[in-house]
Amino acid sequence: MEKIIDESKQGESIVLAQNPKNTRKLYIESYGCQMNFSDSEIVASILAKEGFNTTNRLEEADLVLVNTCSIRDKAEQTVRKRLEKYNAVKKNNPTMKVGVLGCMAERLKSKFLEEEKIVDMVVGPDAYKDLPNLVQEIDEGRNAVNVILSKEETYGDISPVRLNSNGINALVSITRGCDNMCTFCVVPFTRGRERSRDPQSILEEIQELVDKNYKEVTLLGQNVDSYLWYGGGLKKDFSKASEMQKATAVDFAKLLDMVATRFPKLRLRFSTSNPQDMHENVLLVMAKHKNICNYIHLPVQSGSDRILKEMNRLHTREEYFRLIDKIREIIPECGISQDMIAGFPTETEEDHQDTLSLMRYVKYDFGYMFAYSERPGTMAARKMEDDVPEPVKKRRLAEIIALQQEHSAYRTKAQVGKIKEVLIEGTSKKSDAHWKGRTSENTVAVFPKENYKPGDFVNVKIIDCTSATLLGEAVGLSDNN
């Protein structure tokens, strides 16, 4: 659940610059979190070298891929409907091949391939480099599957094409997999154990982005604070590393410092953080560098110690409060957002009230809130009864959302009268005469266009706000341009 899912991007198909030498058409749709969209860029890069140009017309595709998410039941149902649509189109284009990528692929491989026979190819999140071989298999009329989870694969040597990019913001994956066995989450079973990318490959990828004039990079991982490079291998095996490997290891604070120092004009974000792994050193690096955004996505999931234990979250309510206090002490204006689950198995009204009181203590800037949905393959699905009635879940979720909206409005109003640096990302959805961008704290700001352009860092005086958006007027370019 610690994955940010942007509903506006679900099912987005991607189109890249066409290579005139490529003769085949690839249609690829992505669902789920930022990690899946980043993976789609890797897949498109690999298949571009195999003769595929991307298309947004499903009907003309030779190969149709859907990159899937197992984190929520809604995403899974949507993907099933899309597979039905693909197969309806396939009747008119019998040479079309259909494949499923990502988290659902690993979990439902036999169902998709053998029982329902709705796909030709199933590819897990660690097997994308095997796509040339798998495509050859399906071209020769055989089903193809590779869902083996790797202990080494980080795709550090693949330079991803940027799909549907605005040319300003980019995602750079720094870890894959997760070692935190939260009972509600399927990620450790679909993406494998945690391993980190070579920091040199991360710096090289960011250098390419800077050379192309990108202005903001988000370092991405299931749990970025757990980043640890000691020459390769799983994080859990670090205890077996040599003394030299341990002495020269790079943790997340060091990586963040390296990137911020090397690219002082590049705005940096990171996601997702885990409360048990976020150390003070990261906060000190954030405070040291002006180009690291004052924003942390810090999922908590519940405010009840009892439920946190049931979820196998390795932190308590009190430890979370201490971390929040430390963030406020070191980075006073830091924006903080949350993930929250309503109606986890055995949750009582008292547990729910603990969640609301935790929210009142923190007063998050915004959040991602869901009613509990049992995910097959998770520990919760195997060991716990989904015993909170649906109407109770919905009511508790509504109360969480209402309180978050109140806090979002409070945090937004606190910005009025201040001058904030805003990176222009594009035209406002509501007015062609206004730019939109985000502040360091990740709040959306809108202001009249004047003579500025996308990619500019602009100082904006905030004169008004809605509950979630800052309204202002530019007072000039910032010194970050």
Side-chain angles (χ1 to χ4, degrees):
M1 197 68 73
E2 293 180 13
K3 303 169 86 178
I4 300 172
I5 296 178
D6 185 342
E7 297 295 350
S8 67
K9 290 192 170 185
Q10 299 305 296
E12 217 170 50
S13 64
I14 54 181
V15 181
L16 310 174
Q18 305 292 290
N19 181 340
K21 294 180 181 176
N22 288 352
T23 57
R24 305 177 78 182
K25 299 283 188 182
L26 166 69
Y27 178 92
I28 182 168
E29 265 181 21
S30 301
Y31 293 87
C33 66
Q34 291 170 308
M35 187 67 80
N36 272 20
F37 284 80
S38 175
D39 281 359
S40 290
E41 296 177 348
I42 290 167
V43 168
S45 298
I46 292 168
L47 289 177
K49 293 176 182 173
E50 299 300 312
F52 285 91
N53 279 332
T54 50
T55 177
N56 61 1
R57 292 192 61 233
L58 174 62
E59 293 74 17
E60 69 178 20
D62 299 292
L63 177 61
V64 177
L65 299 176
V66 57
N67 198 349
T68 62
C69 170
S70 268
I71 209 77
R72 286 159 65 194
D73 185 58
K74 180 183 174 186
E76 203 160 294
Q77 296 310 317
T78 303
V79 166
R80 284 187 169 281
K81 286 177 185 167
R82 292 303 289 158
L83 289 172
E84 289 169 13
K85 163 79 172 169
Y86 299 161
N87 280 281
V89 173
K90 202 174 175 183
K91 287 175 183 172
N92 298 322
N93 181 5
T95 61
M96 175 193 285
K97 302 294 184 183
V98 175
V100 172
L101 312 175
C103 298
M104 268 176 80
E106 197 282 329
R107 196 168 62 74
L108 297 175
K109 55 187 181 292
S110 58
K111 200 168 181 62
F112 283 160
L113 273 174
E114 295 151 24
E115 291 175 39
E116 299 181 12
K117 296 183 168 54
I118 52 174
V119 297
D120 305 289
M121 178 168 68
V122 176
V123 190
D126 287 350
Y128 298 143
K129 281 187 188 167
D130 198 28
L131 274 165
N133 298 325
L134 299 173
V135 168
Q136 187 175 344
E137 287 286 307
I138 59 175
D139 282 346
E140 293 170 4
R142 295 184 290 274
N143 286 342
V145 58
N146 185 342
V147 292
I148 295 169
L149 292 174
S150 168
K151 292 183 179 180
E152 290 85 29
E153 188 59 80
T154 63
Y155 299 109
D157 57 335
I158 302 283
S159 180
V161 288
R162 301 294 159 182
L163 308 175
N164 290 350
S165 173
N166 57 9
I168 296 163
N169 319 85
L171 306 171
V172 173
S173 295
I174 66 168
T175 69
R176 294 185 77 83
C178 187
D179 285 352
N180 295 324
M181 296 293 180
C182 301
T183 57
F184 54 77
C185 186
V186 76
V187 166
F189 307 106
T190 59
R191 287 186 174 269
R193 299 305 294 265
E194 199 171 287
R195 61 266 187 215
S196 300
R197 265 180 78 178
D198 181 343
Q200 199 54 45
S201 75
I202 295 168
L203 290 168
E204 286 169 5
E205 183 177 338
I206 295 173
Q207 183 67 63
E208 287 181 19
L209 292 165
V210 169
D211 292 345
K212 292 173 183 172
N213 217 27
Y214 279 79
K215 298 299 178 74
E216 181 181 284
V217 160
T218 299
L219 303 178
L220 199 62
Q222 244 71 48
N223 180 10
V224 288
D225 295 272
S226 196
Y227 176 91
L228 183 64
W229 173 261
Y230 59 98
L234 299 176
K235 185 185 176 183
K236 72 179 182 66
D237 294 333
F238 180 62
S239 59
K240 302 171 190 170
S242 69
E243 291 307 309
M244 178 62 77
Q245 284 177 313
K246 288 178 180 176
T248 57
V250 177
D251 64 7
F252 184 57
K254 284 183 184 173
L255 177 71
L256 200 54
D257 191 49
M258 287 163 66
V259 176
T261 302
R262 179 159 163 181
F263 306 104
K265 296 287 188 182
L266 181 71
R267 196 190 246 193
L268 291 172
R269 299 187 186 276
F270 55 87
S271 186
T272 296
S273 291
N274 191 299
Q276 76 205 42
D277 295 304
M278 177 163 252
H279 298 297
E280 187 175 329
N281 286 347
V282 172
L283 303 178
L284 294 172
V285 170
M286 290 175 72
K288 172 183 165 186
H289 292 282
K290 188 181 173 186
N291 59 328
I292 302 176
C293 289
N294 292 335
Y295 168 67
I296 298 171
H297 182 59
L298 196 64
V300 64
Q301 311 299 359
S302 173
S304 159
D305 276 337
R306 191 183 69 79
I307 293 296
L308 288 171
K309 195 169 182 181
E310 292 289 338
M311 290 176 166
N312 198 34
R313 301 288 287 173
L314 302 179
H315 62 86
T316 65
R317 172 189 175 94
E318 194 55 45
E319 287 166 342
Y320 189 84
F321 284 159
R322 283 203 294 272
L323 179 54
I324 293 291
D325 292 345
K326 184 61 72 175
I327 293 168
R328 300 272 189 234
E329 175 194 328
I330 295 173
I331 315 163
E333 292 200 353
C334 192
I336 304 174
S337 58
Q338 46 88 346
D339 284 354
M340 206 71 76
I341 301 172
F344 189 78
T346 77
E347 183 185 75
T348 64
E349 198 58 35
E350 184 182 354
D351 296 323
H352 173 58
Q353 291 303 321
D354 282 347
T355 293
L356 296 179
S357 71
L358 178 140
M359 291 177 69
R360 290 188 190 100
Y361 184 92
V362 180
K363 292 186 174 62
Y364 295 100
D365 293 69
F366 45 92
Y368 303 89
M369 299 149 285
F370 311 100
Y372 175 72
S373 164
E374 187 175 86
R375 309 310 300 124
T378 62
M379 192 63 71
R382 294 202 298 270
K383 300 283 182 75
M384 300 176 188
E385 183 187 349
D386 186 2
D387 59 354
V388 179
E390 207 60 36
V392 175
K393 282 185 192 175
K394 286 182 178 175
R395 191 257 304 162
R396 289 177 185 169
L397 178 60
E399 290 177 8
I400 289 169
I401 291 170
L403 186 58
Q404 181 55 59
Q405 287 172 337
E406 181 185 315
H407 293 159
S408 294
Y410 167 81
R411 291 290 181 198
T412 309
K413 280 176 193 165
Q415 304 302 312
V416 175
K418 296 180 180 179
I419 292 176
K420 308 299 293 186
E421 184 187 73
V422 175
L423 172 59
I424 300 176
E425 296 179 358
T427 299
S428 165
K429 288 179 183 175
K430 294 186 178 176
S431 166
D432 288 343
H434 289 74
W435 291 123
K436 71 156 187 180
R438 285 177 298 155
T439 67
S440 173
E441 296 77 25
N442 210 31
T443 308
V444 173
V446 174
F447 60 97
K449 282 189 169 179
E450 298 181 36
N451 296 319
Y452 303 105
K453 65 185 186 300
D456 283 346
F457 289 96
V458 181
N459 288 325
V460 176
K461 181 164 187 183
I462 308 305
I463 53 177
D464 201 358
C465 67
T466 66
S467 62
T469 304
L470 301 171
L471 311 173
E473 49 192 31
V475 295
L477 291 168
S478 82
D479 59 8
N480 201 36
N481 291 283

